[in-house]
Structure formats: structure tokens, C-alpha cells
Amino acid sequence: MQLPRFHRLRSAYYHLEGQACSACGAVQFPARRSCLACRSEELERRPLSGRGTVFSYSEAVAGFEGFAPPHLMALIELEEGPMVAAQLSDVEPEEIEIGMEVEMVTRRIRELAPQGYIVYGYRFRPRLEVEAGR
Amino acid sequence: MKAAREVGIAGYGAYVPRYRVLTETISSTWRPRGAAAAAVAEKSVPGPDEDVVTMAIEAARVAVGRAGFDPGAIGAVWVGSESKPYAVKPSATIVAEAVGIAPAVVAADMEFACKAGSEAMQAAVAFVGAGMVDGALAIGMDTAQSKPGDALEYTAGCGGAAFLFAASDESLATVEASVSHVTDTPDFFRREGAAYPEHGGRFTGEPSYFRHSLAASRRLLAEVGAEPGDFAHAVFHQPVPKFVTRIAAELGFDAQQIEAGLLAPRMGNAYAGSSLLGLAAILDIARPGERVFFCSYGSGAGSDAFAFRVTERIRARREGPGVVDYLARRREIDDYGHYLRLQRKIRRS
Ligand SMILES: [Zn+2]
């Protein structure tokens, strides 16, 4: 039963909540027991801005169970530093570029069965262009 | 109706998905060549990972962010929709959690066809106006359903908006008054478990949309002692553009007053999100001191009407994406099969 796991992860899934290390200041995502940089266990919760850039990406040809195609997998370098693996939304494969500015959105990331529980979580889309001077 | 203490909108946010389908693409499958053009040229379609919950979360985040409001001070969230992803399980709790306002919050989904969003607005005004909560979030959002080949398929679009209501001294627009007008009318319904709604032939239009929108609008004008000419902008529910131009003309509003809020020609009818999205588009361009007239319509049937007065805070509360920005990031779906899949009308078993 995967339901308890998805439920437990919802801070990370909904808010992109990571951690800041009180000892060395490093920011990491997702939450871990100790700091990846200095191993300190003094960590505080840190919701991340959700802004970042595409570090790398690939288009998965085969489907994953419970996921709707297309599968545009990317590594996103967040502005706070951590790297996060996530799917891209609202973009066609030919529009993606390394270094493209993206922002976190909350989307349906899987369904546990055709009429089953819907898991919501983070994906990234090209940063929305806002018309200046309004 | 007026609340015991003055209430206003402290923040607002809109959402329209990126995808559009030309109504030509739908008619090429269903209509004989040479049939009359559809009421709108194109409509919005949700992306494969979107639904009412994800769309409501984005609009709500923008609304709360613009208000600069402490999420912990928001005491209520209502999501009005007729296309919620779960038949049983509230959308509002997922939105509340994602926006960071759970758990000390009243939350539920509202159901009243296309009036569900304005029903949420009435409740928000009442909760804040009674002093029970400092902030209340009212959302109207839909990914409208329609039977393949049905007349509604040419206009059933998706989108909506979120409004954070708070005391009027924090607001970008104050609520002058609101009214409601409802009767038992069989114009449109969907039974439990049915995938698509049914519409009741001769009950559409005259005895439903027009009768209720006119009654609520006239009641509101009387309540605030105003004439249509006193308002800079007016927005109505938008099943098809010609309904809006006709209701506006019957009430005495001119084409200029309805221009900013009339979005149906570019995205179809967003059902419970339709009039709220129009209100958001008006707030995107309104000037301090202007008055805004709002009237929703929902089948079954009823209308809520609100009068707003824009304050000088509006200028500082438009950061981030406006309705035009969402409409501008347009990607056309040129294939009817792909469109059916995005609407979840067909799926892999
Ligand atoms: Zn450290």
C-alpha cells in the first residue's frame, strides 16, 4: 500500500519543503537526517522558492505505470542550490533548453489506480511570462 | 445583503491552462461541412496533469501572495466547481494544505453548477463580515464537462479565479453589497455517477440565464441605489458571448463596460470559473475609485450579484501573472483524439 508514503511526503510534494543546515548553511532537498555537506543533524525546515533552471533533461519513451505521458524528465537546479529530479509540464520536447528558467507547479503526478487515489506533487514549467507595465 | 462589518477583496489570482482547441477541430468530426460557425472560435483545455485542484492551487497561491496576507490568518477556504476530481473527498482540503493554510480552517467544496464560485464568495463575505475569521478564500474553478458531439462541447472551457476576502481596510476592492436570486429550474443537471451533464431544451436561455441574471442584477442596483452608468465595468456569466452582450444591453450596460471581463471569445465558458475569471481580468486593469458590477449564473438555477468599489491598494496588488498572461501562453491542440484524451473522455484502460 503506497498511500501512507505519499501522504507522509506531502510537505515535500506540495511545498517543495527542504532543509537549511544550522551549522554550515547548506540547503538540501529532500529532507534527510543529516546535512549532506557537513553531516550536522541540526537542520531546520526550509520551503524552497520553486524557481530554478533546467540542468539536464530527457524524454522517456516507455510509459510508467500510473503516470500520464508525455514523460519529460528533468534535473532542475533550484536557486537555493539543491538539484531536484522532476517532470516538466506545459512544454513540448522541442521547446526545452538547458538553462531554461522554470518554476514549480503543483500537478497530478500519479493515480494509484484508474479510480484510485490521486497524488498531487511538484512539477516544473517554463517560467510564466508576465506582461510589463500592467 | 450587507455584512455587519465592511469586507473587501485583499488579493486575487486567476488561472487558465495553456492548451486551446479550435472549435473547427471539433466541428470537423461532428458537423456536416458548411454548418454554421460555433459561438466561440476556440476554448481552453486542461493539460494532462491538470484538474480543478491543481488549477485552484495556482490561483489561490497568487491571491494569497498578492494580498501579502499571513496564510495562518485565513480561516476559510471554499472551492466552487462542477468538475471536482473526486465525487467524495473535498478539493478544498488539498488546496488548503498546498497553500499552507491547513489545519485551523473551515473548508468545503461548493456545488451550484456555474454559480458555485460566487456561492463561495457569498460565504467568504459572510464569515469575514461576521468577524469569525480574518481572511476567507473563495475559488471558482472548472474543467467543464460535455458529451462528445453535444452543442456544449463547442464552448465548455476551463479556468477560474480565487479571491481572498478580508476586512475592507486591507482591501483592493470593497464589497458594497451582494444579492442572490434562485428558483427550482430544470435547465441543466448531471446525475451522480454520470460522466456528462444533460441540458433541458426549452429551459435554457430565457427562463434560466436571462430571468435569473436580470432579477439579481436589478435587485443589486436597487440595493446600492445605482444605475448601470455608475459602474466602470460589468461582468456576467459567459455561456456564449452573445448572452453577455444581450443581458448587458437589457440592463443598460454598454459594450465598453463589458469589454474587459468578457473572456468567452478567447477561451469558451469556464463554468463556475467564468464570471470570477472575468472579475479578475477587470481587476487587472481597473483604476482606484471605479465601481465594478458582477453577476454570476448557475443552472438549477440562480444568480449572485455583487457591487465592488476599487481602492488605491489595487496598484500594489497586481504582481505576477494576469489573465492576459495566461491567455497569451497559448498552445493549440490540432487533433480531436488528443483533445479527447486531455479531457479524459478517452483513456487507456
Ligand atoms: Zn551543514
Side-chain angles (χ1 to χ4, degrees):
Chain A
M1 185 59 178
Q2 298 168 296
L3 202 73
R5 185 166 74 88
F6 289 116
H7 184 70
R8 199 172 58 245
L9 287 170
R10 69 194 190 287
S11 286
Y13 275 18
Y14 292 177
H15 304 130
L16 211 64
E17 190 178 275
Q19 292 166 316
C21 175
S22 309
C24 78
V27 176
Q28 61 188 22
F29 179 88
R32 294 177 175 84
R33 184 166 303 192
S34 59
C35 174
L36 284 177
C38 76
R39 298 198 177 177
S40 164
E41 292 188 9
E42 281 177 45
L43 297 161
E44 58 186 47
R45 297 162 148 217
R46 171 73 59 87
L48 304 175
S49 68
R51 286 186 295 272
T53 53
V54 173
F55 182 80
S56 174
Y57 72 94
S58 71
E59 185 181 357
V61 179
F64 304 72
E65 193 190 343
F67 287 81
H71 308 292
L72 299 168
M73 296 301 304
L75 270 179
I76 308 297
E77 188 171 12
L78 298 174
E79 65 179 15
E80 292 90 348
M83 200 75 82
V84 51
Q87 289 200 49
L88 297 174
S89 282
D90 299 354
V91 68
E92 310 312 309
E94 65 274 15
E95 296 170 324
I96 308 170
E97 284 173 27
I98 303 294
M100 184 170 77
E101 296 193 318
V102 292
E103 60 195 0
M104 188 268 280
V105 288
T106 304
R107 295 290 170 91
R108 291 163 79 114
I109 57 171
R110 65 185 302 188
E111 289 176 68
L112 298 188
Q115 293 297 336
Y117 184 73
I118 303 162
V119 182
Y120 294 95
Y122 54 82
R123 282 187 169 182
F124 288 80
R125 71 159 176 227
R127 209 169 291 176
L128 206 84
E129 284 175 42
V130 175
E131 188 183 283
R134 197 182 59 245
Chain B
M1 302 184 285
K2 285 184 177 131
R5 71 162 172 169
E6 286 210 349
V7 178
I9 297 169
Y12 71 103
Y15 190 77
V16 183
R18 175 180 187 242
Y19 301 97
R20 306 283 180 277
V21 64
L22 298 181
T23 45
E24 261 176 33
T25 304
I26 303 172
S27 14
S28 66
T29 301
W30 293 111
R31 288 197 178 179
R33 211 180 289 262
V40 301
E42 63 184 49
K43 64 171 199 170
S44 53
V45 178
D49 56 0
E50 295 189 290
D51 63 23
V52 160
V53 166
T54 66
M55 292 160 60
I57 288 170
E58 176 155 346
R61 281 185 178 142
V62 174
V64 174
R66 280 176 174 165
F69 213 79
D70 169 16
I74 298 171
V77 53
W78 290 292
V79 178
S81 180
E82 58 184 271
S83 50
K84 47 202 229 97
Y86 290 99
V88 176
K89 186 184 187 309
S91 308
T93 55
I94 310 171
V95 174
E97 190 99 38
V99 178
I101 60 183
V105 59
V106 171
D109 293 2
M110 295 281 190
E111 195 284 313
F112 195 139
C114 300
K115 187 175 99 70
S118 59
E119 195 72 43
M121 290 165 57
Q122 298 275 26
V125 170
F127 260 55
V128 175
M132 287 174 67
V133 300
D134 290 332
L137 201 48
I139 303 168
M141 197 64 72
D142 255 314
T143 55
Q145 314 122 335
S146 56
K147 264 183 223 171
D150 187 84
L152 293 177
E153 190 177 28
Y154 296 87
T155 52
C158 61
F163 296 91
L164 176 62
F165 287 85
S168 71
D169 56 8
E170 304 175 56
S171 68
L172 58 86
T174 57
V175 177
E176 295 184 45
S178 67
V179 302
S180 193
H181 183 90
V182 308
T183 70
D184 177 6
T185 304
D187 56 330
F188 174 94
F189 54 85
R190 177 167 66 84
R191 292 284 301 269
E192 179 67 41
Y196 303 115
E198 302 289 330
H199 42 103
R202 66 190 186 85
F203 288 98
T204 55
E206 206 56 59
S208 50
Y209 178 86
F210 290 100
R211 188 201 288 171
H212 294 81
S213 300
L214 283 172
S217 295
R218 288 184 175 136
R219 186 169 303 152
L220 179 67
L221 289 170
E223 179 141 345
V224 297
E227 301 289 326
D230 298 331
F231 294 87
H233 307 281
V235 60
F236 298 91
H237 178 51
Q238 304 171 20
V240 289
K242 70 177 183 199
F243 274 31
V244 181
T245 48
R246 197 183 126 193
I247 190 91
E250 280 192 38
L251 285 161
F253 291 99
D254 64 27
Q256 222 177 336
Q257 287 167 292
I258 59 170
E259 192 186 348
L262 184 52
L263 305 173
R266 296 183 67 184
M267 56 170 288
N269 174 9
Y271 284 46
S274 172
S275 50
L276 281 77
L277 195 58
L279 176 59
I282 287 170
L283 293 176
D284 282 346
I285 55 106
R287 288 194 288 256
E290 286 183 339
R291 293 171 84 181
V292 178
F293 188 93
F294 169 100
C295 182
S296 67
Y297 171 73
S299 294
S303 289
D304 291 312
F306 287 73
F308 297 99
R309 190 184 292 272
V310 178
T311 77
E312 68 293 333
R313 285 182 204 87
I314 187 71
R315 297 191 198 281
R317 305 263 176 99
R318 288 176 182 152
E319 284 289 303
V323 175
V324 291
D325 300 313
Y326 285 107
L327 290 174
R329 53 156 208 166
R330 178 186 171 282
R331 174 89 190 182
E332 203 179 300
I333 303 294
D334 53 12
D335 170 78
Y336 188 71
H338 186 190
Y339 156 79
L340 288 180
R341 195 187 64 163
L342 287 172
Q343 296 279 45
R344 300 195 178 92
K345 294 179 183 190
I346 51 169
R347 58 184 300 161
R348 215 193 323 231
S349 56

